[in-house]
Amino acid sequence: MKLVNLHSHFELPTNQLGLVNHSVLLPFEPKDGQRYSAGLHPWDLDEATDDNWLQMLEVIIQNPQVLAIGECGIDRSLETPIDRQIACFLPHVELAEKYSKPVILHAVRSYSDLLQLKKKQNATTPWILHGYQGNTETTKQLAKYNFCFSIGTALLNDRQKLNQSLAEIPLNQLFFETDESTVNIESIYIFAAEQLNIPLQKLQKQVFDNYQRIFGS
Ligand SMILES: [Zn+2]
C-alpha cells in the first residue's frame, strides 16, 4: 500500500501517493506517474497582473493528471487586501464545482473566512485545509462542515495545541503531507499514530482509503 503524502512541492517517490503542487503562473509539464493540484497561491497574486491565469487554470485542470484545484485560499498575514484575495479565490471554487474536483486550501488566520465562504458558495466538492494548525474549537466547527484536514511537519514540533486538534479530526477527514519540507512523511504518520493511540498500519490504511474516496485514483 502506498503512503499518502497529500500535498508536496516536490515530485513524489513511487511508493507515495499524493498531489504535487503546481502554480498556474508556471509552465505545466506533467511527469509520468505524478498527480497534481493546480492553482494561484495567495502569495502570488501580485504576479498575476491580468486574468490570463484563470484561462490557463481551466486548461490545466482538464489534464487527467490534475486531481484537485489549489493551493489557493486566503492569507491574512499578507498585505494583499482580503477583497482581492477573495476575488481570486472564488473562481477556483467555481472551477472546482464545474469540474467536480476537490480544493486544496492555503489558510492563514482565515479559517472562519473559509467556513463562511464554503457555506455561502454551497460548495459540494471536498475542501481540504493543507498545513492545518487550527485549535480544537475551530477544528470541531470545520469538521462539522465537512472540511478535510491535512497535517504537516508542524505536528512534529509537538505543540500540544495541534495534538489536541488532531484528536478532534474525524479519521475519514484526515490527511498528512510534507508540503515544502524534506521531512520523511513516515515520521509524521508514526508521530500521529502515537498521539492518536492507534496502530500505524491502521492509520496509513485509513488515510489511503480517504485518498481513494476523494480522488478516486
Ligand atoms: Zn504548499
Side-chain angles (χ1 to χ4, degrees):
M1 186 185 66
K2 292 191 180 195
L3 216 45
V4 173
N5 182 353
L6 184 80
H7 172 86
S8 171
H9 289 256
F10 308 111
E11 269 181 53
L12 294 173
T14 51
N15 63 347
Q16 291 181 20
L17 199 57
L19 309 180
V20 178
N21 190 73
H22 175 73
S23 165
V24 70
L25 300 177
L26 299 173
F28 186 51
E29 290 156 357
K31 305 262 173 20
D32 277 358
Q34 299 289 323
R35 298 288 180 269
Y36 298 87
S37 66
L40 180 62
H41 197 294
W43 296 350
D44 297 335
L45 299 197
D46 289 344
E47 288 167 52
T49 46
D50 54 36
D51 277 345
N52 276 347
W53 67 268
L54 189 53
Q55 290 155 28
M56 272 312 297
L57 183 60
E58 185 156 10
V59 172
I60 290 172
I61 61 166
Q62 293 180 67
N63 183 302
Q65 284 175 257
V66 179
L67 304 188
I69 314 288
E71 61 183 290
C72 54
I74 297 171
D75 188 328
R76 283 194 175 268
S77 73
L78 299 176
E79 282 172 21
T80 315
I82 292 302
D83 287 356
R84 165 139 170 79
Q85 293 194 43
I86 292 175
C88 289
F89 172 62
L90 289 180
H92 289 86
V93 176
E94 281 161 25
L95 287 179
E97 294 295 316
K98 181 172 172 186
Y99 292 95
S100 299
K101 289 186 196 275
V103 186
I104 309 286
L105 297 161
H106 170 96
V108 175
R109 301 205 300 265
S110 62
Y111 295 130
S112 61
D113 298 290
L114 291 168
L115 178 55
Q116 296 312 319
L117 286 168
K118 188 172 191 279
K119 288 189 208 167
K120 205 170 139 197
Q121 299 298 311
N122 272 323
T124 60
T125 70
W127 283 25
I128 305 168
L129 292 157
H130 107 83
Y132 184 69
Q133 299 191 44
N135 64 29
T136 49
E137 273 316 303
T138 303
T139 306
K140 283 183 203 168
Q141 267 279 336
L142 294 166
K144 211 165 68 186
Y145 286 93
N146 287 321
F147 278 84
C148 291
F149 305 82
S150 182
I151 293 185
T153 55
L155 189 67
L156 303 177
N157 300 337
D158 203 9
R159 287 189 222 147
Q160 234 203 335
K161 191 187 93 176
L162 189 54
N163 292 340
Q164 286 167 352
S165 298
L166 175 66
E168 297 296 336
I169 298 175
L171 288 176
N172 62 1
Q173 289 165 248
L174 178 61
F175 290 99
F176 298 101
E177 63 176 47
T178 53
D179 197 11
E180 291 183 292
S181 97
T182 51
V183 164
N184 193 329
I185 188 72
E186 280 170 5
S187 57
I188 301 178
Y189 277 94
I190 290 167
F191 191 90
E194 275 170 16
Q195 293 301 315
L196 293 168
N197 200 19
I198 58 178
L200 177 61
Q201 295 272 329
K202 195 180 163 198
L203 182 61
Q204 292 173 345
K205 172 77 165 70
Q206 174 68 58
V207 177
F208 181 82
D209 290 346
N210 295 346
Y211 185 91
Q212 296 288 335
R213 187 184 78 242
I214 288 178
F215 299 102
S217 69

